[in-house]
Amino acid sequence: MQFSLLARLVYVISVVSTAWSNPTGEHQCRLATPHSSTFPLLDDISIETLHALFANGSLTSVNLVHAYIERIHEVNPSLRAVSEINPDALKIARALDVERSMGRVRGPLHGIPILIKDNIATKDQMNNTAGSYALVGAKVSRESSIVTRLRDAGAVVLGKATMGEWAQCRSRKASSSHGWSAYGGQVLGAYYPQQDPSGSSSGSAVAVSIGLALGSIATETSGSIVNPAERGNVVGIKPTLGLTSRDMVIPISIRQDTVGPIGRTVKDAAYILSAIAGKDSFDNWTSTQPFDVAPAYVKACDFLGLKGARVGIPRNGIDYYLDKSTKPVMVAFEQALQTVRDAGARVIEEANFSSFDAPAFARNSSIVLDTDFVGGLANYLASLSTNPNDIHSLSDLSRFTKADPREEYPDRDTYVWDRQLGRNLTSTSLESFMAYQANLRMGGEEGVIGALDRHKLDALIMPTFASFHLPAVAGLPIVTVPLGFYPAQTPLTMNLKRTTVSVAPNIPFGLAFVGRRWSEEKLISLAYAFEQRTMVRRKMAPYIRPTFELADQLEPTDETPYKLKVQYRPPVMNQPRFGQLVMEKTLGRLFLVRSWIWSVLGFQHSLL
């Protein structure tokens, strides 16, 4: 009972401080409540619904971009999901509206606002920082091929999503936290106060989960798409290595990095994936694609997609990661298996990996990622046309980070970089090659591919938390969909730094489908069939979300169907960190009290 009362106290303080932390004072975010409107809510709306509104004249892309910007203003001082808003977003939307009025619609993403993770380069007024002040003001020689594809498809690049600094490739776990970066601040999830957003694509998932954009682009080296997606109660697609280009994406590992979409539904994510997939001369890995034109993945969205499918459970790949916190997940997982069976699929139990040596896998992965990052970072830095901080290597970056107080060193250490620089190896070294080959075997014939082949499976089915390790090293695809939520009496678990809440009531978790290379269509079909039968996403609302909706800026007139009712304001995020300065100077004591209470709460839980 005492624990429950303390949890409620923390909840109230978090909500109050959230409401006080908005320096604009115009649209204060509050606890999620129903919104009466003739328009669908923006945290539920789909690409197809938006196109219906575009087509009947009820909505323009300018209206839509404006609404998303207003929603970002409301919650970003609290959740920090967006690091920058594109100053050109409204201009781009206006041009796309003109195209539509002249009868040209480029495709499903025409006029649709998409957020881009802050390690994917755009050649515009926005920064490309990977969350670090070291790259603020740096300019790229060319734009990422992924962004070019999005623009060609008619998407509006709305802004940059905040990410874990250097894709969580800087500090040991106890020294930092998922979703923190010096430039963007600490991203927080929307389903529990101070929620750990998980992974490095944290802003990409949080923003989509509460309708700050229709969808987002994220990256994954090992878990950084699927983990934030499950914690955001959204859909994430980690593509086959080589399906999407990594050109002008700040790298971790050329042998593992992938770029993929996050959406609220499988169908929306499939639309985005089709826009960004394809061969690219700037990324040779894409030349291995077995097709010249990427499939229209949305055609795989079939309600009967599970009928006749064979899916297997690699229990030994799941059991290794089980602990007290995963018990509710496994209960939901077993219930999901029955749903899959009822939909006509055959579930093969004990479709185990023939070899699963997690410690060996971790050692090999450390060598591969360390050696790839040093060289890959140098190559990216060499491509910059403007480099104001004169950063040309990992050694330069380490020196900058340790000298600039905004990077919070040594409280947030550089353990990973120190280890990487100490190896004195390159990605072509024999030790790195052998480690990579060992992991390919463990992820392939001894792991996922072996299990699929032995049991003649279409896919593996796993809780998302256990799904990503082997596909990461073998370059295999994953689709994660919402599975459930931690129950009301779940004890709180803090992260190792004791700054965010990793497990708590209402925090979402996911279900993953894992397959062979280039099997995205099959995985999307399976995931869609499960999603449509369960509609898990609708069963829990975030504790906080924006209140601004499409109807708040549109009203009927005699001359036109709708007009703007709210004046556009320059984005707070593009001002010199005004909101952060206000919070630091006027609310510091409140946040210190809240942090102290979280620490006490975590300590009390550790004694239970």
Side-chain angles (χ1 to χ4, degrees):
M1 179 61 69
Q2 291 177 343
F3 180 83
S4 177
L5 289 173
L6 186 53
R8 291 193 182 104
L9 176 62
V10 172
Y11 184 92
V12 170
I13 291 177
S14 297
V15 172
V16 170
S17 63
T18 291
W20 285 4
S21 65
N22 187 342
T24 68
E26 292 200 27
H27 296 290
Q28 298 292 346
C29 55
R30 58 179 182 263
L31 294 181
T33 55
H35 190 283
S36 176
S37 172
T38 57
F39 289 92
L41 297 179
L42 280 170
D43 50 7
D44 288 328
I45 206 163
S46 69
I47 288 175
E48 292 179 351
T49 300
L50 285 172
H51 276 288
L53 294 172
F54 291 150
N56 68 22
S58 298
L59 184 68
T60 67
S61 294
V62 168
N63 298 150
L64 183 60
V65 168
H66 173 83
Y68 281 134
I69 290 174
E70 288 293 328
R71 290 168 70 87
I72 293 169
H73 282 309
E74 283 192 68
V75 299
N76 213 58
S78 305
L79 302 182
R80 297 186 180 90
V82 180
S83 60
E84 294 187 31
I85 293 175
N86 187 358
D88 299 322
L90 283 169
K91 182 173 74 172
I92 295 168
R94 192 170 294 111
L96 291 165
D97 282 337
V98 171
E99 285 189 19
R100 186 184 294 108
S101 71
M102 298 175 67
R104 182 191 180 196
V105 176
R106 302 187 189 192
L109 295 192
H110 189 108
I112 302 297
I114 302 291
L115 285 167
I116 310 295
K117 188 175 177 179
D118 193 21
N119 59 348
I120 302 173
T122 57
K123 194 173 183 181
D124 52 20
Q125 297 186 62
M126 293 188 291
N127 285 290
N128 310 291
T129 72
S132 170
Y133 279 101
L135 293 184
V136 172
K139 298 298 180 183
V140 294
S141 55
R142 69 174 184 276
E143 192 161 70
S144 164
S145 297
I146 289 289
V147 176
T148 299
R149 284 181 176 273
L150 285 171
R151 294 193 197 277
D152 290 346
V156 178
V157 177
L158 181 62
K160 289 297 185 75
T162 311
M163 60 179 285
E165 186 166 324
W166 298 106
Q168 308 298 154
C169 182
R170 169 185 154 178
S171 307
R172 72 185 87 202
K173 290 182 179 179
S175 179
S176 194
S177 49
H178 290 136
W180 177 88
S181 69
Y183 185 65
Q186 176 65 62
V187 180
L188 296 173
Y191 283 83
Y192 196 86
Q194 212 69 15
Q195 180 195 334
D196 187 324
S198 189
S200 70
S201 301
S202 44
S204 298
V206 172
V208 172
S209 77
I210 54 172
L212 304 187
L214 187 286
S216 66
I217 305 298
T219 66
E220 175 158 332
T221 305
S222 182
S224 285
I225 291 176
V226 298
N227 287 347
E230 76 158 335
R231 286 297 189 243
N233 194 26
V234 292
V235 175
I237 301 178
K238 182 262 184 191
T240 301
L241 181 61
L243 181 63
T244 54
S245 172
R246 288 86 48 83
D247 172 52
M248 296 306 292
V249 176
I250 299 172
I252 298 299
S253 170
I254 193 172
R255 291 178 280 189
Q256 289 188 204
D257 292 346
T258 55
V259 180
I262 292 178
R264 281 185 294 278
T265 66
V266 174
K267 187 173 280 191
D268 281 353
Y271 274 126
I272 299 171
L273 180 61
S274 290
I276 63 174
K279 295 179 180 179
D280 177 25
S281 60
F282 291 114
D283 184 350
N284 289 335
W285 292 67
T286 63
S287 65
T288 62
Q289 293 177 18
F291 34 72
D292 292 325
V293 178
Y297 289 109
V298 74
K299 292 182 179 179
C301 293
D302 181 3
F303 184 80
L304 300 177
L306 283 164
K307 186 176 182 180
R310 289 174 60 89
V311 295
I313 311 166
R315 294 285 182 182
N316 62 338
I318 298 171
D319 292 348
Y320 180 84
Y321 299 101
L322 298 181
D323 58 28
K324 289 181 180 179
S325 72
T326 60
K327 288 182 179 179
V329 183
M330 293 308 296
V331 170
F333 178 68
E334 297 300 332
Q335 294 170 347
L337 294 178
Q338 188 56 51
T339 299
V340 169
R341 293 185 185 98
D342 292 344
R346 183 175 178 184
V347 178
I348 310 301
E349 289 281 351
E350 304 295 336
N352 287 338
F353 304 135
S354 60
S355 173
F356 188 68
D357 185 345
F361 163 83
R363 288 193 301 272
N364 290 330
S365 295
S366 174
I367 294 170
V368 172
L369 301 191
D370 286 359
T371 53
D372 280 0
F373 182 62
V374 175
L377 176 64
N379 290 338
Y380 176 84
L381 296 171
S383 71
L384 297 177
S385 59
T386 303
N387 191 342
N389 291 311
D390 204 28
I391 309 294
H392 300 282
S393 66
L394 181 56
S395 296
D396 293 340
L397 177 59
S398 181
R399 283 193 294 270
F400 177 94
T401 301
K402 291 174 179 177
D404 191 319
R406 295 173 296 182
E407 294 287 335
E408 298 190 17
Y409 178 87
D411 181 56
R412 298 179 187 269
D413 65 32
T414 57
Y415 170 81
V416 175
W417 296 348
D418 297 340
R419 184 188 67 209
Q420 291 168 340
L421 292 169
R423 284 194 190 277
N424 198 28
L425 295 173
T426 69
S427 58
T428 59
S429 299
L430 179 61
E431 185 177 349
S432 179
F433 175 78
M434 296 302 291
Y436 179 56
Q437 292 301 313
N439 268 358
L440 282 181
R441 287 193 300 274
M442 189 179 296
E445 60 263 33
E446 297 175 1
V448 175
I449 299 302
L452 292 170
D453 288 348
R454 281 192 303 277
H455 299 281
K456 297 180 173 59
L457 302 175
D458 294 297
L460 300 181
I461 185 169
M462 307 174 73
T464 300
F465 72 81
S467 69
F468 60 90
H469 305 86
L470 296 187
V473 297
L476 304 176
I478 309 171
V479 178
T480 181
V481 294
L483 172 61
F485 309 86
Y486 279 96
Q489 300 306 313
T490 301
L492 298 190
T493 300
M494 306 292 289
N495 71 340
L496 292 176
K497 195 173 175 64
R498 310 193 77 77
T499 54
T500 59
V501 178
S502 302
V503 176
N506 302 342
I507 288 180
F509 45 78
L511 178 72
F513 295 91
V514 181
R516 297 174 176 82
R517 287 170 61 82
W518 321 117
S519 66
E520 280 81 359
E521 287 174 286
K522 173 56 71 174
L523 300 185
I524 286 169
S525 178
L526 300 174
Y528 180 82
F530 178 83
E531 171 198 60
Q532 294 299 302
R533 281 170 171 77
T534 57
M535 304 303 285
V536 171
R537 175 172 166 75
R538 297 179 179 177
K539 296 178 180 179
M540 183 70 67
Y543 87 93
I544 184 174
R545 69 169 181 85
T547 59
F548 193 91
E549 297 289 348
L550 289 173
D552 293 330
Q553 66 168 331
L554 301 166
E555 60 183 10
T557 70
D558 294 333
E559 295 81 16
T560 59
Y562 294 91
K563 71 176 184 180
L564 283 177
K565 188 169 67 177
V566 179
Q567 291 297 313
Y568 170 68
R569 293 180 284 116
V572 171
M573 278 63 66
N574 290 339
Q575 297 172 10
R577 304 184 69 79
F578 172 72
Q580 179 178 333
L581 292 174
V582 169
M583 285 192 289
E584 287 176 353
K585 291 183 181 295
T586 63
L587 299 174
R589 290 186 180 275
L590 178 59
F591 282 103
L592 284 173
V593 169
R594 186 170 68 167
S595 297
W596 175 80
I597 292 176
W598 282 116
S599 297
V600 171
L601 187 58
F603 176 71
Q604 181 176 355
H605 171 243
S606 70
L607 298 179
L608 294 179

